[in-house]
Amino acid sequence: MRYDIAIIGTGPAGLSAAINATIRNKKVILFGNEDLSQKLIKAPSIDNYLGFYEISGTDLKDKFKKHIEEMNIEITTNKVNNIYAMGDYFALMSGDNMYEANSVILATGVEYGKPIKGEEEYLGKGVGYCATCDAPLYRDKKVAIIGYNHEAEEDANFLSEIASKTYFIPMHKKEVNLNDSVEIIKDYPVEISGDILVNKLKLRNNEIDVDGVFVMKDSASPKALVPGIETEGVHIKVNLNMETNIPGCYACGDCVGKPYQYLKAAGQGQVAALNAVAYLDKKKLENRK
Ligand code: FAD
């Protein structure tokens, strides 16, 4: 099945894109998570969302959820690992699954922290963002998972069945649910290093020999997600129509730049969706000629 629009991200930008594209009768697939956005549920009180003065992040999340449920918009709770532009459509890889869409809207948010030293240099040379995709490379080898979220624990458990040794470095204070064979190290990653390939992870108080390091954040770098996409620093480069340099690929919300705000994200989600709809309608007309 090929979708009209694949939307990546369930923060205000992705949800706004999804409702607008649905209103315009497009077949949409929305990737994200059940809690919608950590940046939404963590806000104690929001004073600047029009119509909802002093609302808590969790209450606003419930309102967003009710809105999409009433419009029968479902969330596909899979993380998208790679998106490839195939000419007249996009292939989206998520673990072992592949999805196809005629256009894509990136609403992936942004990681506020800087990458770990060596993370970008060794990407694809021992650093990865998808355990399911890269696990076979680490059979009987040593791996470390730097886990920013709960999905990272599932990945660590999966890797522990394949790798000879699995370390887990939790980047949050919540309880973790891991197989007995996974060694938890409560420390802070400082540098990923090696020769041609990764061989060491330096922590603040320790150093471990590893063949691979998985950095499991909510959002990965746009360049790792969409090969060939143009960026400016950590942000995806877009014009006022939210178009990226790849025809049919749009981006909105925090991932395209500051200010990092809910209303700005939702507004850009709408602009991205309406322009994606115009792009699809134009292509349809061209194909009829
Ligand atoms: P996000 O909300 O970050 O959502 C992105 C979503 O995409 C996430 O759910 C993520 O899991 C998902 N995702 C990313 N990559 C993938 C992938 N590959 N596959 C599948 N899903 C993926 N702003 C205000 O205007 N007012 C406030 O009062 C305010 N308070 C804040 C308080 C806190 C504590 C924080 C952290 C932020 C606050 N902000 C506030 C900023 C606001 O949270 C962000 O600007 C807003 O959430 C951005 O929305 P977004 O849709 O662009 O991205």
Side-chain angles (χ1 to χ4, degrees):
M1 146 119 105
R2 189 173 295 177
Y3 294 90
D4 292 319
I5 309 179
I7 299 167
I8 331 300
T10 41
L15 296 174
S16 165
I19 62 170
N20 282 283
T22 304
I23 288 168
R24 297 296 293 268
N25 285 324
K26 296 299 170 200
K27 202 165 19 153
V28 167
I29 181 161
L30 172 65
F31 294 95
N33 58 70
E34 285 296 336
D35 282 340
L36 303 187
S37 158
Q38 287 299 312
K39 294 210 180 101
L40 187 55
I41 59 178
K42 281 189 181 152
S45 173
I46 300 159
D47 299 340
N48 64 346
Y49 201 95
L50 191 63
F52 297 106
Y53 182 54
E54 282 188 340
I55 190 167
S56 72
T58 46
D59 285 350
L60 190 58
K61 179 213 77 174
D62 290 342
K63 290 197 181 290
F64 286 172
K65 246 191 148 176
K66 189 161 180 276
H67 190 158
I68 59 163
E69 277 163 12
E70 283 183 1
M71 290 183 67
N72 295 319
I73 298 170
E74 283 176 14
I75 298 172
T76 302
T77 55
N78 290 354
K79 184 159 188 175
V80 177
N81 304 115
N82 296 104
I83 302 172
Y84 299 105
M86 308 297 287
D88 64 343
Y89 75 99
F90 293 85
L92 295 92
M93 315 306 293
S94 172
D96 290 338
N97 301 319
M98 193 189 88
Y99 301 85
E100 289 182 5
N102 289 324
S103 65
V104 164
I105 298 178
L106 304 168
T108 49
V110 78
E111 285 298 330
Y112 290 167
K114 280 191 191 157
I116 301 160
K117 194 171 173 203
E119 179 182 332
E120 289 179 332
E121 185 188 342
Y122 284 100
L123 183 61
K125 298 175 195 159
V127 172
Y129 298 122
C130 172
T132 319
C133 320
D134 297 344
L137 302 173
Y138 298 100
R139 186 167 297 282
D140 301 325
K141 293 192 171 170
K142 291 185 226 155
V143 291
I145 321 279
I146 300 169
Y148 289 78
N149 52 31
H150 279 301
E151 287 95 80
E153 292 153 39
E154 288 165 26
D155 284 318
N157 287 335
F158 171 56
L159 274 164
S160 71
E161 292 163 9
I162 291 167
S164 60
K165 179 77 199 167
T166 305
Y167 300 98
F168 188 84
I169 298 110
M171 300 301 287
H172 54 77
K173 293 201 172 84
K174 291 178 216 145
E175 224 173 278
V176 288
N177 184 12
L178 292 164
N179 291 345
D180 291 344
S181 62
V182 179
E183 184 175 333
I184 301 170
I185 305 179
K186 291 194 174 156
D187 206 333
Y188 191 83
V190 176
E191 185 179 356
I192 300 166
S193 61
D195 296 319
I196 296 170
L197 299 174
V198 165
N199 59 27
K200 215 173 269 314
L201 174 63
K202 207 187 270 177
L203 303 160
R204 218 174 256 158
N205 306 301
N206 200 346
E207 208 173 77
I208 49 176
D209 291 333
V210 287
D211 303 292
V213 178
F214 288 93
V215 185
M216 308 302 295
K217 294 179 185 172
D218 284 331
S219 338
S221 95
K223 276 187 187 293
L225 183 64
V226 191
I229 200 152
E230 268 182 30
T231 54
E232 262 171 348
V234 295
H235 299 129
I236 301 167
K237 217 168 153 182
V238 286
N239 61 17
L240 286 176
N241 293 331
M242 303 292 123
E243 288 167 316
T244 69
N245 63 310
I246 301 172
C249 179
Y250 298 77
C252 50
D254 280 7
C255 67
V256 303
K258 290 181 178 173
Y260 297 151
Q261 297 281 276
Y262 300 122
L263 261 181
K264 174 259 193 188
Q268 288 185 332
Q270 182 180 45
V271 175
L274 296 182
N275 283 303
V277 169
Y279 164 85
L280 293 169
D281 290 349
K282 189 167 164 237
K283 258 183 76 178
K284 207 167 161 189
L285 276 178
E286 282 169 3
N287 289 342
R288 266 200 211 139
K289 281 180 195 161

mmCIF file of all heavy atoms in Angstrom, residues 105-129:
data_model
loop_
_atom_site.group_PDB
_atom_site.id
_atom_site.type_symbol
_atom_site.label_atom_id
_atom_site.label_comp_id
_atom_site.label_asym_id
_atom_site.label_seq_id
_atom_site.Cartn_x
_atom_site.Cartn_y
_atom_site.Cartn_z
ATOM 1 N N ILE A 105 6.436 14.314 5.383
ATOM 2 C CA ILE A 105 6.564 15.513 6.226
ATOM 3 C C ILE A 105 7.378 15.130 7.464
ATOM 4 O O ILE A 105 6.976 14.249 8.233
ATOM 5 C CB ILE A 105 5.182 16.077 6.634
ATOM 6 C CG1 ILE A 105 4.407 16.516 5.382
ATOM 7 C CG2 ILE A 105 5.350 17.254 7.602
ATOM 8 C CD1 ILE A 105 2.997 17.039 5.645
ATOM 9 N N LEU A 106 8.505 15.786 7.628
ATOM 10 C CA LEU A 106 9.362 15.516 8.788
ATOM 11 C C LEU A 106 8.972 16.475 9.908
ATOM 12 O O LEU A 106 9.016 17.701 9.715
ATOM 13 C CB LEU A 106 10.830 15.735 8.419
ATOM 14 C CG LEU A 106 11.339 14.939 7.225
ATOM 15 C CD1 LEU A 106 12.702 15.459 6.772
ATOM 16 C CD2 LEU A 106 11.435 13.456 7.586
ATOM 17 N N ALA A 107 8.571 15.915 11.051
ATOM 18 C CA ALA A 107 8.194 16.742 12.205
ATOM 19 C C ALA A 107 8.823 16.083 13.431
ATOM 20 O O ALA A 107 8.157 15.786 14.419
ATOM 21 C CB ALA A 107 6.672 16.812 12.318
ATOM 22 N N THR A 108 10.123 15.851 13.329
ATOM 23 C CA THR A 108 10.818 14.972 14.274
ATOM 24 C C THR A 108 11.320 15.672 15.531
ATOM 25 O O THR A 108 11.932 15.030 16.383
ATOM 26 C CB THR A 108 12.015 14.311 13.568
ATOM 27 O OG1 THR A 108 12.747 15.346 12.896
ATOM 28 C CG2 THR A 108 11.567 13.299 12.544
ATOM 29 N N GLY A 109 11.099 16.996 15.634
ATOM 30 C CA GLY A 109 11.602 17.704 16.808
ATOM 31 C C GLY A 109 13.113 17.813 16.731
ATOM 32 O O GLY A 109 13.730 17.492 15.713
ATOM 33 N N VAL A 110 13.691 18.256 17.823
ATOM 34 C CA VAL A 110 15.147 18.443 17.826
ATOM 35 C C VAL A 110 15.669 18.002 19.177
ATOM 36 O O VAL A 110 14.980 18.140 20.193
ATOM 37 C CB VAL A 110 15.479 19.932 17.501
ATOM 38 C CG1 VAL A 110 15.284 20.846 18.685
ATOM 39 C CG2 VAL A 110 16.855 20.093 16.922
ATOM 40 N N GLU A 111 16.869 17.441 19.183
ATOM 41 C CA GLU A 111 17.498 17.105 20.461
ATOM 42 C C GLU A 111 18.163 18.370 20.976
ATOM 43 O O GLU A 111 18.932 19.001 20.254
ATOM 44 C CB GLU A 111 18.555 16.001 20.264
ATOM 45 C CG GLU A 111 17.972 14.624 20.056
ATOM 46 C CD GLU A 111 17.146 14.123 21.248
ATOM 47 O OE1 GLU A 111 17.448 14.513 22.395
ATOM 48 O OE2 GLU A 111 16.214 13.349 21.018
ATOM 49 N N TYR A 112 17.838 18.769 22.209
ATOM 50 C CA TYR A 112 18.399 20.010 22.726
ATOM 51 C C TYR A 112 19.910 19.869 23.008
ATOM 52 O O TYR A 112 20.650 20.797 22.878
ATOM 53 C CB TYR A 112 17.680 20.449 24.012
ATOM 54 C CG TYR A 112 16.242 20.935 23.789
ATOM 55 C CD1 TYR A 112 15.373 21.102 24.863
ATOM 56 C CD2 TYR A 112 15.768 21.238 22.518
ATOM 57 C CE1 TYR A 112 14.077 21.560 24.677
ATOM 58 C CE2 TYR A 112 14.468 21.690 22.322
ATOM 59 C CZ TYR A 112 13.623 21.849 23.397
ATOM 60 O OH TYR A 112 12.334 22.288 23.213
ATOM 61 N N GLY A 113 20.342 18.678 23.400
ATOM 62 C CA GLY A 113 21.758 18.484 23.747
ATOM 63 C C GLY A 113 22.623 18.329 22.507
ATOM 64 O O GLY A 113 22.141 18.011 21.427
ATOM 65 N N LYS A 114 23.914 18.577 22.685
ATOM 66 C CA LYS A 114 24.855 18.390 21.571
ATOM 67 C C LYS A 114 25.132 16.908 21.376
ATOM 68 O O LYS A 114 25.010 16.136 22.320
ATOM 69 C CB LYS A 114 26.188 19.048 21.953
ATOM 70 C CG LYS A 114 26.224 20.519 21.771
ATOM 71 C CD LYS A 114 27.664 20.957 21.928
ATOM 72 C CE LYS A 114 27.755 22.452 22.023
ATOM 73 N NZ LYS A 114 28.967 22.889 22.679
ATOM 74 N N PRO A 115 25.567 16.489 20.158
ATOM 75 C CA PRO A 115 25.954 15.085 20.014
ATOM 76 C C PRO A 115 27.180 14.773 20.879
ATOM 77 O O PRO A 115 27.936 15.675 21.235
ATOM 78 C CB PRO A 115 26.279 14.954 18.523
ATOM 79 C CG PRO A 115 26.326 16.322 17.964
ATOM 80 C CD PRO A 115 25.704 17.260 18.932
ATOM 81 N N ILE A 116 27.355 13.495 21.201
ATOM 82 C CA ILE A 116 28.519 13.085 21.986
ATOM 83 C C ILE A 116 29.752 13.240 21.097
ATOM 84 O O ILE A 116 29.677 13.007 19.878
ATOM 85 C CB ILE A 116 28.360 11.614 22.425
ATOM 86 C CG1 ILE A 116 27.083 11.464 23.247
ATOM 87 C CG2 ILE A 116 29.572 11.099 23.204
ATOM 88 C CD1 ILE A 116 26.576 10.040 23.313
ATOM 89 N N LYS A 117 30.886 13.605 21.669
ATOM 90 C CA LYS A 117 32.115 13.733 20.874
ATOM 91 C C LYS A 117 32.374 12.405 20.151
ATOM 92 O O LYS A 117 32.359 11.347 20.797
ATOM 93 C CB LYS A 117 33.273 14.093 21.814
ATOM 94 C CG LYS A 117 34.484 14.557 21.074
ATOM 95 C CD LYS A 117 35.532 15.122 22.022
ATOM 96 C CE LYS A 117 36.791 15.408 21.224
ATOM 97 N NZ LYS A 117 37.966 15.433 22.066
ATOM 98 N N GLY A 118 32.577 12.439 18.873
ATOM 99 C CA GLY A 118 32.844 11.227 18.089
ATOM 100 C C GLY A 118 31.592 10.594 17.504
ATOM 101 O O GLY A 118 31.681 9.753 16.606
ATOM 102 N N GLU A 119 30.401 11.003 17.988
ATOM 103 C CA GLU A 119 29.142 10.370 17.518
ATOM 104 C C GLU A 119 28.965 10.557 16.012
ATOM 105 O O GLU A 119 28.682 9.593 15.284
ATOM 106 C CB GLU A 119 27.958 10.983 18.280
ATOM 107 C CG GLU A 119 26.602 10.429 17.861
ATOM 108 C CD GLU A 119 25.435 11.098 18.604
ATOM 109 O OE1 GLU A 119 25.615 11.559 19.750
ATOM 110 O OE2 GLU A 119 24.342 11.171 18.011
ATOM 111 N N GLU A 120 29.136 11.781 15.532
ATOM 112 C CA GLU A 120 28.921 12.029 14.100
ATOM 113 C C GLU A 120 30.060 11.459 13.270
ATOM 114 O O GLU A 120 29.844 10.881 12.206
ATOM 115 C CB GLU A 120 28.753 13.533 13.859
ATOM 116 C CG GLU A 120 27.421 14.005 14.421
ATOM 117 C CD GLU A 120 27.149 15.478 14.256
ATOM 118 O OE1 GLU A 120 28.120 16.267 14.192
ATOM 119 O OE2 GLU A 120 25.957 15.838 14.220
ATOM 120 N N GLU A 121 31.294 11.573 13.790
ATOM 121 C CA GLU A 121 32.470 11.076 13.060
ATOM 122 C C GLU A 121 32.369 9.566 12.815
ATOM 123 O O GLU A 121 32.728 9.068 11.749
ATOM 124 C CB GLU A 121 33.703 11.416 13.903
ATOM 125 C CG GLU A 121 35.018 11.092 13.257
ATOM 126 C CD GLU A 121 36.169 11.286 14.246
ATOM 127 O OE1 GLU A 121 36.003 11.971 15.279
ATOM 128 O OE2 GLU A 121 37.234 10.703 13.964
ATOM 129 N N TYR A 122 31.868 8.826 13.808
ATOM 130 C CA TYR A 122 31.833 7.362 13.692
ATOM 131 C C TYR A 122 30.462 6.808 13.289
ATOM 132 O O TYR A 122 30.240 5.604 13.358
ATOM 133 C CB TYR A 122 32.298 6.710 15.009
ATOM 134 C CG TYR A 122 33.804 6.784 15.162
ATOM 135 C CD1 TYR A 122 34.390 7.753 15.955
ATOM 136 C CD2 TYR A 122 34.639 5.911 14.469
ATOM 137 C CE1 TYR A 122 35.778 7.855 16.075
ATOM 138 C CE2 TYR A 122 36.021 5.993 14.583
ATOM 139 C CZ TYR A 122 36.568 6.965 15.388
ATOM 140 O OH TYR A 122 37.938 7.045 15.484
ATOM 141 N N LEU A 123 29.554 7.705 12.851
ATOM 142 C CA LEU A 123 28.237 7.228 12.406
ATOM 143 C C LEU A 123 28.430 6.275 11.221
ATOM 144 O O LEU A 123 29.098 6.617 10.245
ATOM 145 C CB LEU A 123 27.364 8.426 12.004
ATOM 146 C CG LEU A 123 25.934 8.100 11.593
ATOM 147 C CD1 LEU A 123 25.167 7.440 12.730
ATOM 148 C CD2 LEU A 123 25.197 9.352 11.158
ATOM 149 N N GLY A 124 27.910 5.063 11.332
ATOM 150 C CA GLY A 124 28.088 4.057 10.270
ATOM 151 C C GLY A 124 29.407 3.314 10.389
ATOM 152 O O GLY A 124 29.684 2.383 9.633
ATOM 153 N N LYS A 125 30.256 3.726 11.344
ATOM 154 C CA LYS A 125 31.543 3.032 11.545
ATOM 155 C C LYS A 125 31.597 2.506 12.978
ATOM 156 O O LYS A 125 32.627 2.551 13.641
ATOM 157 C CB LYS A 125 32.703 3.994 11.316
ATOM 158 C CG LYS A 125 32.780 4.553 9.917
ATOM 159 C CD LYS A 125 33.894 5.573 9.854
ATOM 160 C CE LYS A 125 33.785 6.406 8.599
ATOM 161 N NZ LYS A 125 34.496 7.680 8.736
ATOM 162 N N GLY A 126 30.437 2.092 13.470
ATOM 163 C CA GLY A 126 30.367 1.600 14.849
ATOM 164 C C GLY A 126 29.326 2.349 15.658
ATOM 165 O O GLY A 126 28.850 1.861 16.673
ATOM 166 N N VAL A 127 28.950 3.537 15.205
ATOM 167 C CA VAL A 127 27.859 4.265 15.879
ATOM 168 C C VAL A 127 26.584 4.047 15.069
ATOM 169 O O VAL A 127 26.605 4.142 13.833
ATOM 170 C CB VAL A 127 28.159 5.786 15.973
ATOM 171 C CG1 VAL A 127 26.942 6.538 16.488
ATOM 172 C CG2 VAL A 127 29.345 6.032 16.896
ATOM 173 N N GLY A 128 25.497 3.725 15.752
ATOM 174 C CA GLY A 128 24.226 3.510 15.068
ATOM 175 C C GLY A 128 23.073 4.048 15.877
ATOM 176 O O GLY A 128 23.205 4.348 17.075
ATOM 177 N N TYR A 129 21.914 4.198 15.205
ATOM 178 C CA TYR A 129 20.702 4.669 15.882
ATOM 179 C C TYR A 129 19.609 3.616 15.851
ATOM 180 O O TYR A 129 18.531 3.841 16.376
ATOM 181 C CB TYR A 129 20.189 5.952 15.214
ATOM 182 C CG TYR A 129 21.164 7.113 15.274
ATOM 183 C CD1 TYR A 129 21.632 7.735 14.122
ATOM 184 C CD2 TYR A 129 21.626 7.582 16.503
ATOM 185 C CE1 TYR A 129 22.526 8.794 14.188
ATOM 186 C CE2 TYR A 129 22.525 8.643 16.571
ATOM 187 C CZ TYR A 129 22.972 9.241 15.413
ATOM 188 O OH TYR A 129 23.862 10.288 15.480
#
